[in-house]
Amino acid sequence: MSECKLPKSLSCFSLARHEGEYETWPLETELYFNGQPTCTEVPGYVLEAQYSLDNGFLLVTTWDCPYEEMATFILLDEDLELLSRTDLGVCQATGDFKDAQWLDGKKLTFRFFNEEKWQLTIMGKKEGRDLVLAKID
């Protein structure tokens, strides 16, 4: 039986900072790699987590809006091209991305709204969707 390789947590990516009033910020933020611009923009303003996958990266961003927080899960290929994204958000709900743990190479569990436990599954193309979210408690 082969050993399961878990995605590796990274710290090489960062997001550009926006100036001015929050309401004027663009809906996408430039992604940096080791402090250098990548010419890739991703949704969100705060980079909560970043992982290296077999053929790319998974980024988790939030929107820095405490009373209507949303998490965005972004799947990028090795060239930082967007493959898929999915959002987790509820109107007038506070969210805090924490307790992230990989179950295997394709399933990430975490807590977000009021300690609710969620699972993100990275699917293959044949399943029809790349990223699937499900509440698990």
Side-chain angles (χ1 to χ4, degrees), residues 1-133:
M1 187 164 120
S2 65
E3 189 175 318
C4 176
K5 181 180 169 190
L6 296 178
K8 182 181 174 187
S9 183
L10 301 173
S11 61
C12 53
F13 290 106
S14 60
L15 297 178
R17 296 186 56 106
H18 296 291
E19 301 294 327
E21 296 296 318
Y22 181 87
E23 295 79 18
T24 67
W25 292 1
L27 295 178
E28 294 191 335
T29 303
E30 186 166 15
L31 181 67
Y32 284 70
F33 180 77
N34 290 329
Q36 300 299 312
T38 64
C39 297
T40 296
E41 292 186 344
V42 296
Y45 305 132
V46 178
L47 186 57
E48 299 285 348
Q50 50 189 291
Y51 303 98
S52 175
L53 307 174
D54 284 340
N55 295 312
F57 306 96
L58 177 70
L59 306 179
V60 182
T61 63
T62 56
W63 294 83
D64 197 22
C65 186
Y67 301 106
E68 288 199 10
E69 191 59 90
M70 181 169 64
T72 301
F73 299 84
I74 305 156
L75 188 61
L76 302 174
D77 69 12
E78 293 171 326
D79 295 321
L80 305 181
E81 295 293 325
L82 179 69
L83 296 174
S84 186
R85 74 173 261 195
T86 192
D87 300 305
L88 177 60
V90 177
C91 287
Q92 303 200 0
T94 300
D96 186 23
F97 182 82
K98 61 184 176 182
D99 299 334
Q101 183 176 25
W102 286 94
L103 301 179
D104 59 31
K106 299 202 179 275
K107 293 180 182 172
L108 175 70
T109 62
F110 60 93
R111 295 194 182 277
F112 198 63
F113 301 113
N114 299 318
E115 300 298 312
E116 290 177 352
K117 194 168 186 181
W118 292 81
Q119 179 174 292
L120 175 77
T121 303
I122 302 171
M123 307 291 284
K125 291 283 185 196
K126 65 182 177 184
E127 285 89 1
R129 292 179 65 190
D130 290 323
L131 299 173
V132 176
L133 280 167

